Amino acid sequence: MSSFKQYYKLLLLYVVSIVTTKVLFYIYLQNEFSDLSWQSSIYAIFWGYKFDFAAAALLVFIASLFDFNKKIYTLVSTLFLVLIINIQIGDMLYFSEAGRHTGYEIFDVFVDAESLLLTAYSQHFWLALVALILSIAACVISFFRWKMAVATEFNRYYLPKKLILLVLSIFFIRGMSVQGIPLNPWQAGQLANNQQAILALNATYSVIFALTNKDKTIQQLHIPNINQNTIKQSLKVLYADKNTKIKTPILTSKPNIVMLFLESWSAKYMQSYGYQHPTTPYFDSILKHSIRPKVMVAGGHRTSEGMFAALSSMQNPLGKTIAKTPLQDSDYPSIVKDLSQAGYSSAFFQGTSKETSGVGSFAQSLGFIDSFGKRDIANSKYPNNNWGVQDYDLYQFALKKTQSMSSPFMIGINGATTHDLVVPEGFQQKHFSDDKDLNAMLNTYRFADFSLEYFMEKIKEKYPNTVFVLFADHTGSRISDNLENYFIPFAIYAPNILTAQYKDVVMSQRDIAPSLYDLIMGDYTKTKFSGKSIFRNDYYFADYFHNNILGWIEAEDIVEINVQTGDLSCFVLNKLQKQVVKCENKHDNLKNHALSFTHYYQNLLFNVKDK
């Protein structure tokens, strides 16, 4: 067998493996693609053949560098095949949680390897079993391939052959083109339908792209152009409602601030936002006595993304985080830093490891003085779940730490109970659904809510001059719609301090910092925050970004823009559900607002000076 024939056979094997697992991805997550016909889905899977060949060609060429020895060549090519299978199947697990392909998150694999494996085994057993069976099959196939493999001799033809294989590989890596640069994952968005774009891209290429760009500065995503005059006029309209009559700060007593980043709490599964079952009865009870909007839109789909939106009132890099990138070292506005300058002590607590997604160090870069994770918690009442300590034990730990903090203090808490499907033994579960995993998920909400009640009642008793800010860092799994993927709860609760108020508006997670600034510090309009205050403003807008779709909400009107094709879809919000409507002139205005805001704040994000 010639080295060229060997190259093409291995290339074909890798491509077939990628395409097969893409089909498996579609079958396993079929509910996510319910709007697509099977014909459209198959078309999308094969439309992404350039990504499939690009990923395969790179790995095949690397393997070919070892073909001077049959055993080494077979071992390397087998490892790559097993790697492809496990990346592709692992991506199914990640997508079911985050609603997007694995990319930069691959750098957290070794940090959270144990948690990831336990989650795969406990929540996706059959899929994990398929991965194991396919990996074994790959090894068996490779054993027979080893018998047929041919070692390339070191002679005068060796280097010319490798040069030809290199040129062939570059051809595939560049999308089967003799010009241009390697494919970028966002190019899958050239398919007008974003669900098809998801099926077109394979996780192996997405991961390879992330790994090969690890040491490069995070890149600003290209979006449709818009002229500077439109940007200026749009921003003027968006920020026109400045209420100068309000007297700030609203509270002069310098209350303690407790920010509760409710891990993965989705409004979709909470009775206060329309769900049929009482999954969070305590939260529902205090919501009635809180300052709250109709619903809030999260700024991302990871904890670090939610933190940045809430604390810095900034738009995240589209579809990414600044955590663990060079951008983290830039000097962004932060409500935590503002409160520190006003004399507040601060600490951040998380139920998972401090290294998970770099959240611990990121919290400190945003101004928290101390940061604690699961390894700092020695004594627990409940066994840990696959990711960390249960919320009850995290709250116990935070309560003890507040005793040594000077007043006033600001603490942020991000739990781990709802990061998993493990409900502690002894806690009575309720039957919400015949779907076993869904029922388990909803009962983790109940236990997290039970733990929340314990903690908040203790804080109220010990520190009556306290303002609670409750919101989810992001949503969880089992949500398919673009917008629903970002609907989260939000409430500012301070009994005997603040009067309850309901605003029939949709707010952004970016509005949290301005609201706290008005409440504690003074006039937020004098800051660099991009959001608005629930105490000051009447007109709000919110943005979200999901798989190449930029969404925008003003009042009840919604537009979604495919940032690769520029295609516009229009909706109206009815009982927190999107309803398709015909696009009109007002939707063109909303599109201009969305693109203007995003252009301005993405440019600002990528051009902030270092600390």
Side-chain angles (χ1 to χ4, degrees):
M1 184 191 298
S2 71
S3 57
F4 296 111
K5 189 175 182 180
Q6 193 162 259
Y7 175 94
Y8 279 114
K9 280 197 170 185
L10 187 58
L11 179 69
L12 181 61
L13 177 62
Y14 285 0
V15 169
V16 169
S17 299
I18 291 172
V19 173
T20 301
T21 47
K22 283 168 69 176
V23 172
L24 185 60
F25 177 95
Y26 167 67
I27 294 171
Y28 189 73
L29 298 166
Q30 197 164 6
N31 289 337
E32 301 283 345
F33 307 99
S34 56
D35 294 337
L36 292 178
S37 66
W38 69 267
Q39 295 96 331
S40 298
S41 301
I42 295 300
Y43 170 79
I45 289 170
F46 285 97
W47 186 92
Y49 72 93
K50 290 183 179 180
F51 295 104
D52 306 338
F53 273 93
L58 177 62
L59 298 178
V60 171
F61 178 73
I62 294 173
S64 73
L65 297 177
F66 298 91
D67 64 4
F68 56 84
N69 182 288
K70 285 176 60 174
K71 289 184 178 180
I72 297 176
Y73 171 73
T74 304
L75 176 63
V76 172
S77 59
T78 301
L79 287 175
F80 283 159
L81 181 57
V82 172
L83 189 65
I84 288 171
I85 291 168
N86 284 276
I87 287 176
Q88 294 290 115
I89 292 181
D91 182 59
M92 299 178 205
L93 310 184
Y94 181 75
F95 193 94
S96 68
E97 297 293 328
R100 66 190 188 200
H101 283 301
T102 308
Y104 71 85
E105 300 88 350
I106 194 66
F107 300 116
D108 294 324
V109 165
F110 297 108
V111 173
D112 297 312
E114 181 182 358
S115 297
L116 289 166
L117 290 172
L118 289 171
T119 300
Y121 176 78
S122 62
Q123 297 182 27
H124 305 274
F125 174 77
W126 292 109
L127 195 60
L129 183 62
V130 168
L132 178 62
I133 292 171
L134 290 178
S135 297
I136 293 172
C139 293
V140 172
I141 292 171
S142 296
F143 174 77
F144 288 104
R145 285 192 69 257
W146 170 71
K147 292 183 176 181
M148 297 183 290
V150 175
T152 302
E153 296 180 4
F154 285 105
N155 54 34
R156 60 180 178 174
Y157 300 111
Y158 182 82
L159 287 179
K161 284 181 179 179
K162 292 302 173 192
L163 183 60
I164 293 172
L165 291 180
L166 175 61
V167 172
L168 277 172
S169 299
I170 291 173
F171 171 74
F172 287 121
I173 292 168
R174 293 194 171 190
M176 300 186 184
S177 171
V178 295
Q179 298 180 356
I181 58 176
L183 291 168
N184 194 306
W186 58 256
Q187 288 176 277
Q190 291 171 354
L191 274 168
N193 186 297
N194 74 300
Q195 289 186 328
Q196 287 183 301
I198 293 167
L199 292 173
L201 181 64
N202 71 76
T204 303
Y205 188 80
S206 183
V207 166
I208 289 173
F209 188 86
L211 291 173
T212 54
N213 286 271
K214 178 182 178 181
D215 297 324
K216 296 180 182 179
T217 303
I218 184 172
Q219 296 297 310
Q220 186 173 346
L221 184 66
H222 172 77
I223 63 174
N225 290 324
I226 192 164
N227 65 64
Q228 288 298 316
N229 186 55
T230 302
I231 292 175
K232 184 177 179 180
Q233 291 301 317
S234 294
L235 293 176
K236 185 177 180 180
V237 170
L238 291 174
Y239 292 101
D241 66 324
K242 293 184 178 180
N243 181 0
T244 56
K245 296 180 180 179
I246 184 174
K247 185 179 179 181
T248 56
I250 295 168
L251 299 178
T252 57
S253 60
K254 284 196 173 182
N256 301 308
I257 305 295
V258 176
M259 298 190 76
L260 293 150
F261 295 75
L262 304 169
E263 172 63 39
S264 301
W265 282 32
S266 305
K268 177 183 175 73
Y269 293 111
M270 300 174 68
Q271 195 170 55
S272 291
Y273 300 95
Y275 194 58
Q276 65 265 40
H277 298 301
T279 56
T280 54
Y282 179 71
F283 180 90
D284 295 340
S285 68
I286 65 171
L287 189 64
K288 301 171 185 176
H289 305 286
S290 303
I291 299 168
R292 77 278 186 196
K294 179 189 298 183
V295 75
M296 178 166 276
V297 176
H301 228 294
R302 301 275 288 185
T303 298
S304 57
E305 294 166 20
M307 291 171 64
F308 189 56
L311 301 175
S312 289
S313 187
M314 291 282 286
Q315 190 181 45
N316 281 283
L318 299 180
K320 298 178 181 178
T321 180
I322 69 166
K324 300 176 73 172
T325 75
L327 286 182
Q328 179 174 321
D329 297 323
S330 297
D331 190 17
Y332 302 104
S334 168
I335 187 63
V336 186
K337 295 176 183 177
D338 292 334
L339 290 171
S340 293
Q341 291 174 1
Y344 277 71
S345 60
S346 61
F348 189 82
F349 304 86
Q350 61 189 108
T352 58
S353 167
K354 286 194 294 186
E355 293 78 23
T356 298
S357 302
V359 167
S361 60
F362 188 51
Q364 290 181 296
S365 76
L366 292 176
F368 285 102
I369 302 302
D370 295 312
S371 175
F372 302 96
K374 67 179 182 181
R375 293 183 179 87
D376 297 306
I377 303 173
N379 300 313
S380 299
K381 179 178 180 179
Y382 296 99
N384 288 10
N385 64 19
N386 293 328
W387 285 92
V389 298
Q390 294 286 359
D391 287 4
Y392 185 93
D393 295 311
L394 177 64
Y395 289 141
Q396 279 273 33
F397 180 77
L399 279 168
K400 291 179 182 178
K401 285 295 181 182
T402 57
Q403 296 175 12
S404 59
M405 295 177 68
S406 60
S407 293
F409 60 74
M410 177 187 191
I411 60 173
I413 306 179
N414 175 230
T417 289
T418 40
H419 203 299
D420 205 347
L421 299 183
V422 178
V423 181
E425 290 186 16
F427 181 74
Q428 187 175 2
Q429 297 193 42
K430 288 193 174 183
H431 181 267
F432 293 121
S433 172
D434 291 332
D435 184 321
K436 182 181 177 181
D437 287 345
L438 176 59
N439 195 64
M441 184 188 83
L442 297 177
N443 273 285
T444 63
Y445 276 47
R446 280 191 66 245
F447 183 73
D449 184 73
F450 159 78
S451 304
L452 179 69
E453 179 179 12
Y454 161 78
F455 173 72
M456 289 182 61
E457 293 303 317
K458 288 289 186 182
I459 287 286
K460 285 195 296 182
E461 178 184 334
K462 190 171 183 63
Y463 308 103
N465 187 30
T466 297
V467 173
F468 297 93
V469 185
L470 302 97
F471 61 98
D473 53 348
H474 54 80
T475 62
S477 58
R478 292 178 171 268
I479 304 174
S480 57
D481 179 70
N482 289 337
L483 178 55
E484 272 191 333
N485 258 292
Y486 296 88
F487 275 160
I488 58 172
F490 172 66
I492 296 177
Y493 176 67
N496 304 319
I497 300 176
L498 293 171
T499 304
Q501 180 187 4
Y502 172 73
K503 278 196 169 184
D504 191 27
V505 295
V506 176
M507 294 183 68
S508 168
Q509 206 171 29
R510 293 178 292 96
D511 298 329
I512 294 175
S515 298
L516 282 177
Y517 199 94
D518 265 0
L519 186 65
I520 310 296
M521 300 293 296
D523 184 355
Y524 94 86
T525 63
K526 296 178 181 178
T527 71
K528 295 181 180 179
F529 294 144
S530 74
K532 295 191 173 186
S533 167
I534 196 170
F535 301 104
R536 179 186 299 269
N537 299 106
D538 294 316
Y539 194 77
Y540 299 85
F541 56 88
D543 62 292
Y544 55 96
F545 185 81
H546 195 69
N547 293 316
N548 281 315
I549 297 297
L550 175 63
W552 187 263
I553 310 172
E554 289 185 41
E556 306 298 318
D557 295 312
I558 306 167
V559 294
E560 290 188 345
I561 308 157
N562 186 315
V563 297
Q564 297 305 317
T565 65
D567 290 349
L568 179 69
S569 300
C570 306
F571 310 87
V572 65
L573 189 65
N574 182 18
K575 296 181 180 179
L576 299 187
Q577 297 292 318
K578 282 189 328 189
Q579 293 182 352
V580 178
V581 296
K582 183 180 179 181
C583 292
E584 302 173 358
N585 289 338
K586 66 176 180 179
H587 296 109
D588 289 330
N589 291 333
L590 263 62
K591 179 180 180 180
N592 286 337
H593 291 175
L595 293 176
S596 296
F597 177 88
T598 303
H599 264 288
Y600 180 83
Y601 279 100
Q602 288 295 297
N603 288 335
L604 186 65
L605 178 68
F606 283 89
N607 291 285
V608 172
K609 294 181 180 179
D610 292 343
K611 294 177 183 177

